[in-house]
Amino acid sequence: MRASQDELTRCGTARCGGRRRVFAAGVLAVAMALTGCTNGDGGKPSSWQSPAEDPPKATATITEPQADAKDMPASTGITFTTKDAEEVTVEVKDSAGKEVEGDLAADRKSWLPDGALKYGETYTATVTATGDDDKPATATSTFTTMDRPAKQIRVVSFLGDNQVVGVGMPLIVKFSRAIPEDYRDDVQRRMTVTAKPAQEGIWHWVSPTEVRYRPKEFWKANSTVSYRIQAGGLPLGDGWYGRSDLAVDIKIGPSFVMTVENRTKRMTVTKDGKVIKTILVSLGKKTTPSSSGTMVVIEKLRKTVFDTMEELGPEEGYRTDIDFAQRLTWGGEFIHAAPWSEGQQGTVNVSHGCVNVSMADGAWLFANTRIGDPITVKGTERKLQNGNGWTDWNMSWDEYVKGSALPYEPGTGAEPSAEATP
């Protein structure tokens, strides 16, 4: 196309028209010169016969990283703008021409690699936008990542791959060093949750070193949940960077929910919405009441020893063998078998704050519960203190979303979550 434009410049309308008049006068040499500027159809310039094509309707611009950028974090994603684009694609290749796997955000404004980029490597990003005219417009940016940093923060998950948990189980992610508040939104943008079927949920920062995720309602029974934390190479403040990415796939078990009423001294157990058992209980006596609120099973101990001698002293303390213990709080509240209180179960509270059940019922519960199964205790003299256990469900949804480092968007599902954009 450029050659055609040059040709038009050399053989402009006035100049070529003049040559045609000389040719009409019979000057052969000029006629021969004119032949080089025609296409055999009456002497029209070739550029007239093949007019320049219209430019693509769509446009694309890469905003980050800028061209020839150096020392970019290994977590670098591609952000860009497009106009009048019907289709957008992003391609990133390393210096050897190998393509980097990644995902385009739902809003088609950014792209994130599936894993951290290599340190000290040069990459070329190409964004292609195609409009309704089917003409592609491209933008490219070449950048180089930084050398491997010396200060790195580990990211760990409480849950492991293929673990089956209860419907009240929060996703728990911990960092080996405190994340400054100004960096938590960056971290949260790299944390994605995919639930099948889709369920609305959000991340909640419990502390500078721990963040959790829960859906708006209990997890749907028998659903699958996958979560990713793409922290590898991510700047985390004060010269620290994420050490590596993290990905975990878990499964939610049946809906096994326990509800305890202090008034009746009974526990009602439902499975997938149907009552399957009613159990007599004895809760904490007035001097050591059980906590009212929603908790989840944190750990299960077939046999253990409760020892409060150091805490309460020789007069009030005790050291007792316990069967079928299921921890509910860090403060020491459990569901457990208590054969010594079977005569009081269902009528009076005599425990030190635990939910006492019979040996038979303790064994049955122990065999049927999972980590993350919820229990709600109602009507006692003491309210559950948030933070005393996995108390994510003891908070209202409005309270819970306040712990997010990103604004909450009502109605956003978890496939992928609102925090998925890079």
Side-chain angles (χ1 to χ4, degrees):
M1 189 61 65
R2 182 180 297 275
S4 178
Q5 292 171 343
D6 292 342
E7 187 176 11
L8 180 60
T9 302
R10 292 194 303 271
C11 302
T13 304
R15 189 174 179 185
C16 282
R19 290 188 180 186
R20 289 170 66 194
R21 287 194 295 272
V22 172
F23 174 73
V27 182
L28 180 59
V30 175
M32 292 174 64
L34 179 63
T35 302
C37 291
T38 64
N39 200 33
D41 60 347
K44 291 183 179 180
S46 61
S47 59
W48 290 4
Q49 179 158 333
S50 303
E53 291 187 15
D54 292 333
K57 186 176 181 179
T59 61
T61 303
I62 295 177
T63 56
E64 187 72 25
Q66 297 181 356
D68 301 321
K70 308 293 183 184
D71 296 325
M72 297 298 294
S75 61
T76 294
I78 311 301
T79 58
F80 53 89
T81 59
T82 61
K83 184 178 180 182
D84 297 328
E86 296 270 320
E87 181 182 351
V88 178
T89 60
V90 178
E91 183 181 70
V92 177
K93 293 184 177 181
D94 63 17
S95 57
K98 183 179 179 180
E99 187 172 349
V100 178
E101 298 293 329
D103 296 306
L104 187 67
D107 61 4
R108 301 197 307 175
K109 294 181 180 179
S110 56
W111 176 94
L112 194 65
D114 284 348
L117 301 176
K118 298 176 183 178
Y119 289 108
E121 176 65 278
T122 298
Y123 293 90
T124 299
T126 302
V127 176
T128 302
T130 305
D132 57 13
D133 57 357
D134 292 330
K135 295 180 180 179
T138 61
T140 62
S141 177
T142 298
F143 61 96
T144 302
T145 55
M146 64 186 293
D147 293 334
R148 183 182 297 275
K151 300 192 294 185
Q152 296 182 317
I153 296 177
R154 289 183 293 106
V155 185
V156 296
S157 168
F158 176 82
L159 297 175
D161 272 336
N162 303 316
Q163 194 166 349
V164 182
V165 295
V167 295
M169 184 69 210
L171 310 181
I172 303 174
V173 174
K174 294 186 177 183
F175 302 88
S176 62
R177 187 177 186 276
I179 306 300
E181 190 170 356
D182 290 347
Y183 286 81
R184 294 176 197 171
D185 58 339
D186 293 335
V187 175
Q188 203 167 317
R189 289 187 181 94
R190 299 299 184 101
M191 305 177 75
T192 57
V193 178
T194 302
K196 295 182 180 181
Q199 296 156 71
E200 183 176 358
I202 199 166
W203 291 98
H204 175 99
W205 288 83
V206 177
S207 73
T209 60
E210 183 175 338
V211 61
R212 299 182 193 159
Y213 184 101
R214 57 154 271 203
K216 190 172 183 178
E217 307 292 341
F218 287 149
W219 294 108
K220 295 179 181 178
N222 305 310
S223 56
T224 58
V225 179
S226 301
Y227 54 104
R228 297 171 61 195
I229 296 85
Q230 293 179 265
L234 184 67
L236 298 177
D238 301 326
W240 290 84
Y241 294 81
R243 181 177 180 178
S244 60
D245 296 339
L246 175 70
V248 181
D249 298 317
I250 64 170
K251 184 175 181 179
I252 308 300
S255 176
F256 191 92
V257 179
M258 297 163 281
T259 304
V260 176
E261 287 280 0
N262 183 37
R263 181 178 57 85
T264 61
K265 309 292 188 289
R266 280 162 173 75
M267 174 193 290
T268 301
V269 181
T270 64
K271 185 174 182 180
D272 295 330
K274 296 180 179 180
V275 176
I276 60 171
K277 196 172 184 66
T278 300
I279 297 173
L280 301 181
V281 303
S282 178
L283 301 177
K285 57 189 177 181
K286 287 188 177 181
T287 56
T288 54
S290 301
S291 296
S292 285
T294 300
M295 299 156 273
V296 299
V297 175
I298 296 173
E299 66 174 340
K300 299 176 64 173
L301 304 169
R302 172 60 184 85
K303 288 183 176 292
T304 188
V305 176
F306 286 178
D307 188 345
T308 64
M309 297 297 291
E310 182 176 345
E311 178 187 354
L312 302 178
E315 294 185 3
E316 293 290 331
Y318 56 89
R319 185 180 293 109
T320 306
D321 292 333
I322 300 293
D323 290 293
F324 307 116
Q326 303 190 58
R327 180 184 288 277
L328 305 178
T329 71
W330 304 127
E333 295 182 46
F334 289 75
I335 306 169
H336 67 83
W340 56 87
S341 71
E342 289 187 11
Q344 288 85 26
Q345 292 166 17
T347 58
V348 63
N349 292 332
V350 297
S351 83
H352 289 79
C354 293
V355 179
N356 284 184
V357 298
S358 69
M359 282 292 286
D361 288 333
W364 183 87
L365 282 170
F366 197 88
N368 284 277
T369 58
R370 289 181 170 85
I371 299 298
D373 279 337
I375 175 172
T376 299
V377 177
K378 300 179 180 180
T380 67
E381 300 88 342
R382 180 170 62 189
K383 299 296 182 183
L384 177 64
Q385 181 181 359
N386 286 332
N388 186 15
W390 296 338
T391 54
D392 303 74
W393 295 103
N394 199 52
M395 304 172 69
S396 70
W397 180 245
D398 288 340
E399 289 178 302
Y400 201 77
V401 299
K402 292 177 182 178
S404 171
L406 293 175
Y408 167 59
E409 298 180 14
T412 302
E415 193 176 341
S417 72
E419 297 76 40
T421 54

PDB file of all heavy atoms in Angstrom, residues 32 36 60-61 69 92 115 201 221 371:
ATOM      1  N   MET A  32       6.565   7.133 -23.586  1.00  0.00           N
ATOM      2  CA  MET A  32       7.177   5.978 -22.954  1.00  0.00           C
ATOM      3  C   MET A  32       7.291   6.193 -21.438  1.00  0.00           C
ATOM      4  O   MET A  32       7.075   5.290 -20.647  1.00  0.00           O
ATOM      5  CB  MET A  32       8.562   5.702 -23.558  1.00  0.00           C
ATOM      6  CG  MET A  32       8.490   5.232 -25.017  1.00  0.00           C
ATOM      7  SD  MET A  32      10.117   5.077 -25.756  1.00  0.00           S
ATOM      8  CE  MET A  32      10.794   3.793 -24.748  1.00  0.00           C
ATOM      9  N   GLY A  36       4.998   4.037 -17.744  1.00  0.00           N
ATOM     10  CA  GLY A  36       5.377   3.562 -16.414  1.00  0.00           C
ATOM     11  C   GLY A  36       4.443   4.041 -15.322  1.00  0.00           C
ATOM     12  O   GLY A  36       4.501   3.562 -14.209  1.00  0.00           O
ATOM     13  N   ALA A  60      -6.759  -0.848  19.940  1.00  0.00           N
ATOM     14  CA  ALA A  60      -6.252  -1.488  21.151  1.00  0.00           C
ATOM     15  C   ALA A  60      -5.027  -0.731  21.637  1.00  0.00           C
ATOM     16  O   ALA A  60      -4.185  -0.318  20.831  1.00  0.00           O
ATOM     17  CB  ALA A  60      -5.902  -2.948  20.891  1.00  0.00           C
ATOM     18  N   THR A  61      -4.915  -0.559  22.959  1.00  0.00           N
ATOM     19  CA  THR A  61      -3.774   0.110  23.569  1.00  0.00           C
ATOM     20  C   THR A  61      -3.394  -0.624  24.848  1.00  0.00           C
ATOM     21  O   THR A  61      -4.254  -0.852  25.708  1.00  0.00           O
ATOM     22  CB  THR A  61      -4.091   1.579  23.911  1.00  0.00           C
ATOM     23  OG1 THR A  61      -4.506   2.263  22.737  1.00  0.00           O
ATOM     24  CG2 THR A  61      -2.869   2.271  24.500  1.00  0.00           C
ATOM     25  N   ALA A  69       9.646  -1.844  29.397  1.00  0.00           N
ATOM     26  CA  ALA A  69       9.728  -1.747  30.856  1.00  0.00           C
ATOM     27  C   ALA A  69      10.709  -2.782  31.398  1.00  0.00           C
ATOM     28  O   ALA A  69      10.782  -3.906  30.903  1.00  0.00           O
ATOM     29  CB  ALA A  69       8.354  -1.935  31.470  1.00  0.00           C
ATOM     30  N   VAL A  92       0.919 -13.691  25.044  1.00  0.00           N
ATOM     31  CA  VAL A  92       2.179 -13.330  25.676  1.00  0.00           C
ATOM     32  C   VAL A  92       3.177 -14.443  25.402  1.00  0.00           C
ATOM     33  O   VAL A  92       2.889 -15.621  25.636  1.00  0.00           O
ATOM     34  CB  VAL A  92       2.008 -13.120  27.197  1.00  0.00           C
ATOM     35  CG1 VAL A  92       3.350 -12.827  27.850  1.00  0.00           C
ATOM     36  CG2 VAL A  92       1.027 -11.988  27.481  1.00  0.00           C
ATOM     37  N   GLY A 115       0.317 -18.688  35.957  1.00  0.00           N
ATOM     38  CA  GLY A 115       1.310 -18.803  37.024  1.00  0.00           C
ATOM     39  C   GLY A 115       2.283 -17.648  36.933  1.00  0.00           C
ATOM     40  O   GLY A 115       2.268 -16.864  35.971  1.00  0.00           O
ATOM     41  N   GLY A 201     -20.040 -15.270  47.302  1.00  0.00           N
ATOM     42  CA  GLY A 201     -19.198 -15.255  48.488  1.00  0.00           C
ATOM     43  C   GLY A 201     -18.170 -14.153  48.427  1.00  0.00           C
ATOM     44  O   GLY A 201     -18.086 -13.419  47.435  1.00  0.00           O
ATOM     45  N   ALA A 221     -24.732 -28.427  49.468  1.00  0.00           N
ATOM     46  CA  ALA A 221     -24.267 -29.793  49.718  1.00  0.00           C
ATOM     47  C   ALA A 221     -23.711 -30.429  48.450  1.00  0.00           C
ATOM     48  O   ALA A 221     -24.241 -30.244  47.352  1.00  0.00           O
ATOM     49  CB  ALA A 221     -25.418 -30.638  50.259  1.00  0.00           C
ATOM     50  N   ILE A 371     -15.049 -31.944  59.609  1.00  0.00           N
ATOM     51  CA  ILE A 371     -14.522 -30.613  59.876  1.00  0.00           C
ATOM     52  C   ILE A 371     -15.332 -29.616  59.040  1.00  0.00           C
ATOM     53  O   ILE A 371     -15.543 -29.814  57.844  1.00  0.00           O
ATOM     54  CB  ILE A 371     -13.029 -30.527  59.489  1.00  0.00           C
ATOM     55  CG1 ILE A 371     -12.207 -31.525  60.303  1.00  0.00           C
ATOM     56  CG2 ILE A 371     -12.510 -29.100  59.700  1.00  0.00           C
ATOM     57  CD1 ILE A 371     -12.241 -31.301  61.778  1.00  0.00           C
TER      58      ILE A 371
END
